[in-house]
Amino acid sequence: MACAFRLAVLVGLAAGVSASGEASAANPIRRVVSLLQQMQEKVMAEGKKEAELYEKYQCYCKTGTGDLSASITSAEGKIEQDTSSLQEAEAQKTQLEQDLAQHKSDRADAKDALAKATAMREKEAGIYSKDSSDHKTNIAALKKAIAALEKGAAGSFLQTNAAARLRQLTIDMDLSSADRDMVSAFLSQGAGYVPQSGQIIGIMKQMLDTMEKDLEELTGVENKAIADYEALSAAKTKEIEANGAAIESKTERHGKVGLEIVALKEDIDDTSKSLADDQKFLADLEHNC
């Protein structure tokens, strides 16, 4: 602005000289005056431009500081929110991992329990099959013996396999010594042994009744074991399927949460870098303004 003032003084002086000596020397002085006037106009224009730039800079100092402060506040809030979301996601991921481990353990236990129950059921079924078969064979032999004695055909019966079966049965069954001796004598002496056939028939009917009750009891135990196994099998199968579905669902969720964690960490890193740049820029702006 001082340069413009000096230039204005020079222009004023040059104009006075031009006016007084216009008659004697018009062209050279006027050219100087015109040149000075052009310089003055240029300097004034540049001064005006500088003033406008300065005003704009001052305006930017005011508005730029506010904008940067708002951006910094927003970034700090976003980092805080993302950090909270990251902590929640990491906690959820840890919980999912614990749940998955528990579901896998529960499924393995259910499979093991079902396998053991199946093995036990097969073993029990095998035992029942043999015992019930033996009982049915003994019952059939007793019925044949009783029928033969009642018909007076003991001799022909004693030649059959059923008679041999009864001989072994008298040894295996829980009989009184007297009953066992009487039946054994009949089975060993043959057709000629008939004086006590009525008593023998009575003993054999008692043996038949006992054998049928034992078979009924065995069958009841077997049927209950089958029902218990089927109930357990259904429950364990349901448990296995439920844990399998939970494992599938939570494994998928675990993967998604893992991706969310990666994205949140990247977002926090990017926002932190942008925040640092804004804070540095704001400090420079406050210093220079």
Side-chain angles (χ1 to χ4, degrees):
M1 296 302 290
C3 290
F5 176 75
R6 293 191 189 96
L7 185 57
V9 172
L10 289 174
V11 171
L13 291 174
V17 173
S18 173
S20 63
E22 185 177 356
S24 59
N27 288 339
I29 294 176
R30 183 164 299 281
R31 282 198 299 271
V32 172
V33 171
S34 296
L35 180 61
L36 290 173
Q37 287 175 339
Q38 292 174 4
M39 292 175 63
Q40 182 186 27
E41 291 173 358
K42 184 178 180 181
V43 169
M44 293 298 290
E46 290 177 352
K48 183 179 180 181
K49 186 176 181 181
E50 288 179 0
E52 291 175 352
L53 288 173
Y54 180 75
E55 288 177 2
K56 289 180 180 180
Y57 178 69
Q58 289 299 315
C59 180
Y60 178 76
C61 284
K62 295 176 182 178
T63 59
T65 300
D67 291 343
L68 283 171
S69 296
S71 177
I72 289 170
T73 300
S74 176
E76 289 174 340
K78 189 174 188 310
I79 290 172
E80 183 177 356
Q81 182 179 355
D82 286 347
T83 300
S84 177
S85 297
L86 176 61
Q87 291 172 347
E88 291 178 4
E90 288 177 335
Q92 186 179 14
K93 183 172 179 284
T94 299
Q95 185 61 52
L96 284 168
E97 289 170 350
Q98 293 175 353
D99 290 348
L100 283 168
Q102 187 62 52
H103 285 309
K104 290 176 181 178
S105 175
D106 291 344
R107 183 175 65 175
D109 289 345
K111 286 183 176 180
D112 182 61
L114 181 56
K116 288 179 179 178
T118 300
M120 180 62 70
R121 177 82 288 275
E122 290 173 352
K123 181 179 179 181
E124 290 173 347
I127 293 173
Y128 169 75
S129 178
K130 181 181 182 304
D131 289 348
S132 64
S133 177
D134 290 344
H135 276 65
K136 289 175 183 178
T137 301
N138 292 334
I139 289 170
L142 283 167
K143 286 181 177 180
K144 287 180 180 179
I146 292 170
L149 284 171
E150 289 177 340
K151 292 178 181 179
S156 60
F157 168 77
L158 292 173
Q159 305 302 316
T160 64
N161 292 331
R165 184 77 184 183
L166 285 182
R167 292 187 185 95
Q168 184 61 43
L169 186 60
T170 57
I171 298 172
D172 296 337
M173 280 194 73
D174 185 15
L175 297 172
S176 66
S177 298
D179 290 346
R180 180 177 287 107
D181 290 344
M182 188 175 295
V183 174
S184 296
F186 161 69
L187 293 172
S188 61
Q189 292 183 21
Y193 189 83
V194 293
Q196 302 184 57
S197 60
Q199 292 182 359
I200 294 171
I201 291 173
I203 295 170
M204 287 187 176
K205 284 185 176 180
Q206 290 179 358
M207 293 171 65
L208 176 62
D209 183 60
T210 299
M211 194 64 61
E212 287 177 336
K213 287 181 178 179
D214 287 348
L215 178 60
E216 183 180 357
E217 183 178 347
L218 282 173
T219 302
V221 171
E222 174 66 7
N223 289 337
K224 184 178 184 304
I226 291 173
D228 290 345
Y229 170 75
E230 289 176 348
L232 182 142
S233 177
K236 291 302 177 182
T237 299
K238 185 177 180 180
E239 185 179 348
I240 291 167
E241 291 174 351
N243 278 291
I247 289 169
E248 182 178 353
S249 173
K250 291 186 178 182
T251 297
E252 181 180 357
R253 181 58 186 151
H254 182 269
K256 289 181 179 179
V257 171
L259 293 176
E260 290 173 7
I261 290 173
V262 172
L264 284 168
K265 286 182 177 180
E266 291 178 351
D267 201 10
I268 290 172
D269 184 62
D270 292 342
T271 306
S272 297
K273 290 177 181 178
S274 178
L275 174 62
D277 291 341
D278 286 349
Q279 288 173 332
K280 184 176 182 302
F281 191 21
L282 179 59
D284 293 341
L285 195 63
E286 289 176 343
H287 175 74
N288 293 328
C289 289

